[in-house]
């Protein structure tokens, strides 16, 4: 294939093309499964290709050499609400070679290849699969070597111009098809060999089915196909949010839903969805923030209404409010894929009531949640957060009505020197002459990634309340869009200061200065060295502090306010399960348990007078609600100058030998 040699566009072992017609990618990998099993998995495209809506084998013709030729019709989902879905008419040829290898080749039937092109289908644009397929070679010691080639032409000219990079990117194709196929086979191989241990007594196949159902339900909502029973509802005059309703549960619910969710006396499912462009926001960073800080965008009253659809007597329709009832979330991990690019979890939303009339609504709720694509180094990866309310029983066939967010990078080629920059906020600590940034990376504004955000929320409704639910859903999605835009502005790299991130407090020092203050104050007050004394230059000091194995943090020191974290090293961020962006939303008293708070209060006057104190071993909690044990905590005053009149800048904390319980 033209232009497929490994080069600057390669994604690990995956080569992507930039010189062929359409988009293309290829890869080679080793797996511990036999060729026939690998071929069976790869031919079952819906099991690993999340964009595949359905695949119909219309005819099978045996060949003289023992192979088969299949006539195939495949429909794929559109990733956004802004362009139509694609479908394919293809021939697939499967045969075996003399050395035991299996070959699966596939290409579209078109007028140029001499075959019937197949009838057009409403709601779909015909795409073309150019020669693609798999070569699966047996290995002497068992297992297989797989060669994968994907090559498609997605008819980019039928797409709005702003979205065309999405359909012209070989990197996105590589992530969605080539890499997805390899990862899925490796996942199955490890499950088969018993290498993966899952908690909660669930079989890996059951958990994988949950992930597929969440993705499929979200794709169904984003696309709203007529043959699933969806129809467009009139707007309120502003076209920013699309409302679709489905009153045909027989068509819609199929295998991944449960008709018990729709009232027996008449009702259906309503979907409110919107797509929007975002500028200069890394998709992985945005989705990670949305996952970790649900309270920044979600409304507790709406969550309550969504959860009530699982009950026989739903609550009345709430009004979307900017804040709603306060709630906190605890994330309980269920499973993750081998390379941690996707994980399934249960989210417990803990309700709190402050008035007697709120008690009925202040109850714990549960969401099944799928998060993927939050590796900031994955080129062309789509980041996604999809969730659905579940009840406490969480049966294997639990009904799911997914909602969520999808963020896809639009620019196919940020090819400047800064194209491969790690977009972790830790990189903002690389300041001063010792930093190793490339010239194209020096200015944050040189990072101009655009991405498209798609939001879809689904609700059940009773017929007599349909208009009320539609109004609530429209208002809620607009509220969520506003919240996401605020978050996006806050975390866009173009707004990152050279100091401590986008939310630097007034007067906050640069990272090098703060590192010097932290270490100097520790030495003055405790008499010990926080870091190795072999080098005290700023760059080395900062790197040692950042990479220290104990969790080192700073928090504000105000007389009339709870201490808020202002800095943490990498171990500190890992312990708190947060990012530098979100760190300043976390208060010290929220992570300490009661014993820890009492201990700190008892020692506080000593810290102010003597400059430091040791706290005994204890338990604290991360921002995700996970308990963390530590052997000892050291607290000291961080002062901000080298003279005797130094002012207290903040409190330094170090949690020694911490670990998740």
């Amino acid at each position: 294939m033209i232009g497929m040699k490994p080069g600057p566009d390669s994604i690990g072992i995956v080569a992507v093309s930039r010189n062929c017609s359409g988009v293309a990618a290829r890869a080679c990998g080793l797996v511990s499964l036999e060729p026939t099993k690998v071929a069976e998995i790869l031919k079952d495209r819906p099991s690993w290709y999340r964009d595949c809506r359905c695949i119909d084998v219309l005819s099978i013709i045996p060949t003289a050499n023992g192979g088969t030729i299949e006539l195939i019709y495949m429909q794929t989902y559109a990733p956004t609400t802004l362009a139509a879905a694609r479908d394919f008419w293809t021939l697939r040829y499967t045969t075996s070679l003399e050395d035991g290898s299996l070959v699966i080749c596939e290409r579209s039937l078109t007028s140029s290849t001499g075959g019937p092109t197949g009838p057009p289908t409403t709601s779909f644009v015909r795409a073309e699969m150019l020669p693609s397929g798999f070569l699966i070679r047996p290995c002497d010691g068992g297992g297989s070597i797989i060669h994968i080639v994907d090559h498609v032409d997605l008819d980019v000219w039928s797409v709005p111009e702003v979205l065309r990079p999405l359909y012209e990117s070989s990197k996105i194709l590589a992530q969605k098809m080539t890499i997805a196929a390899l990862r899925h086979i490796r996942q199955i191989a490890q499950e088969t060999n018993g290498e993966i241990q899952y908690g909660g007594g669930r079989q890996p196949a059951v958990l994988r089915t949950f992930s597929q159902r969440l993705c499929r339900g979200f794709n169904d909502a984003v696309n709203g196909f007529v043959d699933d029973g969806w129809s467009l509802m009139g707007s309120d005059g502003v076209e920013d949010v699309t409302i679709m309703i489905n009153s045909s549960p027989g068509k819609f619910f199929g295998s991944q839903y449960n008709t018990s969710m729709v009232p027996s006396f008449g009702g259906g499912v309503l979907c409110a969805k919107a797509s929007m462009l975002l500028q200069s926001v890394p998709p992985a960073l945005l989705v990670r923030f949305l996952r970790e800080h649900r309270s920044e965008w979600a409304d507790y009253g709406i969550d309550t209404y969504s959860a009530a659809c699982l009950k026989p007597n739903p609550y009345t329709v709430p009004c979307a409010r900017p804040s709603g009832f306060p709630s906190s979330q605890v994330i309980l991990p269920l499973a993750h894929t081998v390379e941690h690019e996707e994980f399934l979890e249960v989210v417990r939303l803990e309700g709190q009531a402050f008035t007697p009339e709120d008690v009925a609504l202040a109850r714990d709720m549960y969401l099944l949640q799928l998060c993927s694509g939050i590796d900031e180094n994955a080129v062309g990866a789509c980041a996604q957060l999809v969730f659905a309310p579940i009840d406490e029983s969480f049966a294997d066939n639990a009904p799911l009505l997914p909602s969520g967010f999808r963020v896809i990078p639009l620019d196919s080629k940020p090819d400047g020197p800064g194209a491969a920059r790690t977009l972790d906020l830790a990189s903002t600590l690389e300041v001063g002459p010792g930093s190793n940034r490339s010239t194209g990376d020096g200015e944050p504004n040189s990072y101009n990634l655009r991405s498209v955000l798609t939001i879809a929320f689904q609700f059940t409704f009773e017929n007599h309340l349909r208009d009320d639910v539609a109004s609530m859903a429209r208002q809620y999605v607009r509220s969520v869009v506003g919240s996401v835009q605020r978050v996006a502005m806050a975390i866009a790299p173009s707004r990152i200061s050279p100091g401590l991130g986008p939310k630097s407090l007034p007067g906050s020092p640069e990272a090098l200065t703060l590192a010097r203050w932290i270490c100097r104050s520790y030495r003055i007050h405790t008499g010990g060295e926080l870091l190795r004394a072999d080098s005290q230059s700023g760059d080395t000091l900062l790197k040692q502090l950042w990479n220290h194995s104990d969790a080192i943090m700073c928090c504000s020191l105000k007389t009339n306010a709870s201490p808020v974290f202002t800095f943490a090293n990498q171990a500190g961020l890992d312990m708190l399960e947060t990012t530098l962006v979100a760190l300043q939303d976390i208060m010290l008293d929220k992570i300490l348990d009661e014993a820890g708070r009492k201990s700190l209060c008892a020692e506080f006057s000593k810290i102010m007078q003597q400059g430091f104190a040791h706290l005994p071993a204890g338990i604290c909690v991360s921002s995700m609600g996970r308990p963390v044990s530590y052997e000892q905590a050291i607290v000291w005053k961080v002062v901000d100058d080298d003279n005797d009149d130094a002012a207290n800048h903040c409190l330094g904390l170090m949690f020694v030998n911490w670990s998740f319980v």
Side-chain angles (χ1 to χ4, degrees):
M1 216 187 288
I2 300 170
M4 289 293 282
K5 64 183 180 184
D9 285 345
S10 295
I11 306 171
I13 59 167
V14 179
V16 299
S17 173
R18 52 160 43 172
N19 298 322
C20 66
S21 61
V23 289
R26 102 183 155 197
C28 175
L30 178 67
V31 294
S32 56
L33 290 174
E34 295 306 309
T36 50
K37 179 63 175 174
V38 172
E40 178 189 326
I41 294 169
L42 290 173
K43 290 175 82 168
D44 181 19
R45 204 172 266 139
S47 70
W48 55 266
Y49 181 32
R50 290 285 169 80
D51 281 1
C52 181
R53 184 192 185 210
C54 65
I55 186 164
D56 293 327
V57 179
L58 304 172
S59 180
I60 303 177
I61 306 164
T63 61
N65 62 359
T68 57
I69 294 175
E70 298 163 292
L71 175 62
I72 290 174
Y73 176 63
M74 179 174 72
Q75 292 180 345
T76 62
Y77 291 107
T80 73
T81 63
L82 303 173
R86 272 31 187 177
D87 65 353
F88 298 83
W89 276 90
T90 62
L91 274 186
R92 183 167 68 190
Y93 175 46
T94 307
T95 190
S96 55
L97 306 181
E98 292 179 1
D99 64 357
S101 299
L102 286 174
V103 183
I104 304 168
C105 334
E106 190 170 0
R107 76 169 300 171
S108 282
L109 283 170
T110 64
S111 52
S112 60
T113 57
T117 56
T121 309
T122 309
S123 306
F124 288 88
V125 171
R126 183 62 42 84
E128 182 179 1
M129 184 180 293
L130 296 138
S132 302
F134 313 97
L135 169 61
I136 309 161
R137 298 183 183 276
C139 293
D140 292 340
S144 309
I145 296 174
I146 314 166
H147 298 264
I148 302 176
V149 174
D150 291 309
H151 191 180
V152 296
D153 186 335
L154 297 171
D155 189 14
V156 67
W157 302 111
S158 65
V159 175
E161 187 172 356
V162 71
L163 278 188
R164 284 179 191 166
L166 194 58
Y167 292 77
E168 295 173 323
S169 170
S170 291
K171 295 173 184 175
I172 291 177
L173 174 81
Q175 289 285 356
K176 285 189 169 186
M177 292 191 73
T178 321
I179 295 173
L182 267 181
R183 281 174 170 162
H184 183 70
I185 293 167
R186 287 177 173 153
Q187 184 81 20
I188 298 293
Q190 293 206 8
E191 290 174 7
T192 304
N193 298 335
E195 297 174 31
I196 298 179
Q197 299 296 320
Y198 286 95
R202 306 269 177 175
Q203 291 298 316
V206 172
L207 295 170
R208 204 164 53 246
T209 301
F210 276 128
S211 300
Q212 289 167 352
R213 288 173 58 199
L214 283 170
C215 256
R216 187 173 183 82
F218 184 66
N219 276 326
D220 281 332
V222 168
N223 284 259
F225 291 117
V226 174
D227 61 355
D228 274 340
W230 288 103
S231 61
L232 197 60
M233 192 174 178
S235 75
D236 61 353
V238 184
E239 301 298 332
D240 57 336
V241 177
T242 302
I243 302 286
M244 299 194 80
I245 58 169
N246 195 321
S247 300
S248 310
K251 284 184 179 180
F252 174 58
F253 283 103
S255 59
Q256 71 265 22
Y257 298 100
N258 187 320
T259 51
S260 65
M261 298 174 72
V262 175
S264 57
F265 46 84
V269 174
L270 180 145
C271 176
K273 54 191 177 180
S275 289
M276 56 190 275
L277 290 171
L278 298 174
Q279 193 78 24
S280 305
V281 182
L285 196 58
L286 177 58
V287 166
R288 198 163 73 202
F289 187 93
L290 295 174
R291 169 182 174 261
E292 294 175 1
H293 299 275
R294 187 180 178 87
S295 60
E296 292 289 330
W297 56 266
D299 182 277
Y300 186 75
I302 306 293
D303 286 334
T304 302
Y305 177 80
S306 298
C309 73
L310 304 171
K311 306 292 182 183
N313 299 309
Y315 295 118
T316 55
V317 180
C319 296
R321 298 178 297 281
S323 57
F325 298 93
S327 68
S328 57
Q329 67 169 6
V330 178
I331 294 181
L332 312 166
L334 269 183
H336 58 76
T337 47
V338 174
E339 296 178 26
H340 292 259
E341 79 284 349
E342 179 178 280
F343 35 93
L344 186 68
E345 53 204 14
V346 171
V347 181
R348 187 173 78 233
L349 302 176
E350 299 175 329
Q352 301 165 14
F354 292 110
T355 63
E357 55 268 26
D358 291 346
V359 171
L361 290 174
R363 47 196 289 273
D364 286 0
M365 292 175 294
Y366 298 87
L367 302 172
L368 182 64
Q369 181 166 278
L370 183 71
C371 186
S372 58
I374 59 171
D375 175 6
E376 292 161 24
N377 297 313
V379 181
C382 150
Q384 187 168 279
L385 184 71
V386 179
F387 45 86
I390 54 173
D391 63 17
E392 296 86 341
S393 64
F394 186 26
D396 288 352
N397 62 345
L400 299 178
L401 195 62
S403 302
F405 306 88
R406 173 181 291 150
V407 193
I408 313 175
L410 264 183
D411 290 347
S412 54
K413 48 181 188 304
D415 288 329
R421 178 162 72 91
T422 301
L423 293 171
D424 191 280
L425 288 170
S427 64
T428 63
L429 291 171
E430 297 176 14
V431 294
S435 72
N436 55 4
R437 291 186 181 186
S438 62
T439 53
D441 214 14
E443 286 298 319
N445 291 326
S446 66
Y447 181 72
N448 288 315
L449 174 73
R450 292 177 305 155
S451 52
V452 60
L453 165 69
T454 298
I455 300 174
F457 281 83
Q458 296 192 83
F459 306 95
T460 58
F461 65 87
E462 299 166 13
N463 278 340
H464 67 288
L465 291 173
R466 189 186 74 175
D467 291 344
D468 294 332
V469 175
S471 175
M472 175 271 291
R474 185 180 280 114
Q475 185 182 347
Y476 183 48
V477 168
R478 284 175 182 154
S479 164
V480 171
V481 165
S483 299
V484 171
Q485 286 174 325
R486 285 193 299 275
V487 168
M489 286 176 65
I491 66 177
S494 61
R495 292 173 174 263
I496 292 178
S497 73
L500 289 178
K503 291 180 68 177
S504 291
L505 300 176
S508 285
E510 290 192 351
L512 291 173
T513 307
L514 181 61
R516 193 177 71 247
W517 290 354
I518 291 170
C519 297
R520 181 180 174 278
S521 299
Y522 185 89
R523 185 170 61 252
I524 290 171
H525 296 311
T526 70
E529 290 290 346
L530 184 61
L531 305 174
R532 295 196 310 272
D534 54 358
S535 172
Q536 290 300 314
S537 72
D539 287 352
T540 308
L541 199 73
L542 178 57
K543 282 183 178 167
Q544 283 189 27
L545 183 69
W546 182 252
N547 295 316
H548 198 288
S549 59
D550 291 326
I552 299 172
M553 310 165 194
C554 292
C555 61
S556 60
L557 197 58
K558 297 178 182 177
T559 50
N560 295 320
S562 296
V564 173
F565 288 106
T566 55
F567 169 80
N569 68 349
Q570 186 62 64
L573 295 178
D574 291 344
M575 186 186 101
L576 294 175
E577 294 189 288
T578 190
T579 63
L580 279 173
V581 177
L583 182 67
Q584 293 169 13
D585 293 328
I586 302 174
M587 290 184 287
L588 176 61
D589 58 351
K590 295 295 184 186
I591 72 150
L592 296 174
D593 65 359
E594 188 176 356
R597 287 193 293 270
K598 285 180 179 177
S599 181
L600 180 61
C601 287
E603 298 285 350
F604 195 76
S605 59
K606 178 183 173 184
I607 296 167
M608 290 295 100
Q609 290 169 12
Q610 298 183 13
F612 81 103
H614 292 270
L615 305 183
I619 299 285
C620 60
V621 292
S622 75
S623 64
M624 299 287 102
R626 280 213 284 173
V628 181
S629 66
Y630 55 91
E631 287 185 8
Q632 184 187 47
I634 304 168
V635 187
W636 69 100
K637 278 193 305 185
V638 175
V639 294
D640 64 3
D641 206 6
D642 294 332
N643 58 46
D644 294 333
D645 300 322
N648 295 333
H649 177 73
C650 60
L651 273 185
L653 297 96
M654 179 163 67
F655 292 89
V656 180
N657 291 339
W658 66 273
S659 62
F660 289 112
V661 178

